[in-house]
Amino acid sequence: MVNKYIRIVGGLYRRTPIAVVDAAGLRPTPDRVRETLFNWLNHFWDNRYDDKSVLDLFAGSGALGFEAASRGAAHVQMVERDRAALSALRTVRDKLGATQIRIHAGDALDTLRRMDATRYDLVMLDPPFGQDWLPRIWPLLSGILTENALVYAESENALEAPENFELLRQDKAGAVHYHLLQFAALRK
């Protein structure tokens, strides 16, 4: 069941509505936060997305992944386990004709453990709050990141940069703390 709609805020697919299904733990990233995130990315990537590969690990509504695709990301992999959310993601992708978007049905941790040789320039982590997802995910990321890859993470509390990561930016909107980190293991 669709609860409400949000819109893509920038790029080629700007103003496209995205259905937000009624699913446990689903909180779409607000427009203002997505706008800030992509301003940060524009700064670090000089507005170039055409050579970037993006993983949206807890896709939910797909707002983050669709924003990356809208700005020209070469490849966007979305992972989601809720059936209604998966259906909504596929509907929007097909409506847009966004062939650079792949949607995988599955659990985030299982998916990370089974990743092949694909490497990502950006991993977006917006897990359900109160379930301690991030501490379980950090150790698995190094095997899928490109050198100097970025990781965007939302959480209910401010984060300390985990080992092998550097905190580049952070902010807060309402009850959501959001962070941009860089994979720094190769520089140590």
Side-chain angles (χ1 to χ4, degrees):
M1 180 175 120
V2 173
N3 190 22
K4 64 178 181 175
Y5 290 88
I6 57 173
R7 296 194 177 273
I8 298 172
V9 296
L12 181 64
Y13 309 135
R14 185 177 184 186
R15 295 189 194 98
T16 300
I18 300 172
V20 178
V21 299
D22 187 15
L26 181 63
R27 332 164 272 21
T29 302
D31 292 2
R32 184 178 74 109
V33 173
R34 282 184 277 132
E35 203 164 346
T36 299
L37 166 62
F38 284 91
N39 285 339
W40 291 346
L41 293 174
N42 287 342
H43 170 76
F44 288 105
W45 288 349
D46 294 325
N47 294 315
R48 289 215 43 228
Y49 293 80
D50 61 331
D51 62 343
K52 303 299 185 221
S53 186
V54 176
L55 174 63
D56 186 354
L57 197 55
F58 297 86
S61 68
L64 292 170
F66 287 124
E67 289 288 353
S70 183
R71 286 164 170 79
H75 173 73
V76 177
Q77 177 71 52
M78 295 182 179
V79 178
E80 178 55 48
R81 67 179 177 185
D82 183 87
R83 286 185 179 173
L86 283 164
S87 177
L89 290 171
R90 290 179 176 127
T91 297
V92 174
R93 178 201 55 198
D94 295 348
K95 175 184 169 188
L96 295 172
T99 58
Q100 76 275 40
I101 296 174
R102 299 281 183 265
I103 300 170
H104 175 77
D107 175 79
L109 285 174
D110 290 342
T111 300
L112 277 176
R113 289 183 184 117
R114 293 184 176 137
M115 285 272 177
D116 59 13
T118 303
R119 296 290 177 263
Y120 295 95
D121 300 293
L122 173 65
V123 174
M124 296 185 283
L125 305 172
D126 182 11
F129 286 175
Q131 297 180 23
D132 251 0
W133 279 101
L134 293 176
R136 293 180 281 160
I137 289 171
W138 294 122
L140 301 174
L141 290 180
S142 63
I144 65 162
L145 298 174
T146 61
E147 185 177 347
N148 298 316
L150 299 174
V151 176
Y152 170 76
E154 289 186 19
S155 64
E156 60 268 37
N157 300 306
L159 295 176
E160 296 284 330
E163 185 177 356
N164 298 325
F165 290 87
E166 175 187 350
L167 183 62
L168 299 176
R169 302 277 193 277
Q170 64 182 348
D171 208 341
K172 182 179 185 226
V176 177
H177 292 262
Y178 55 105
H179 315 79
L180 187 64
L181 302 103
Q182 185 168 44
F183 184 50
L186 300 175
R187 293 187 299 191
K188 290 186 177 183

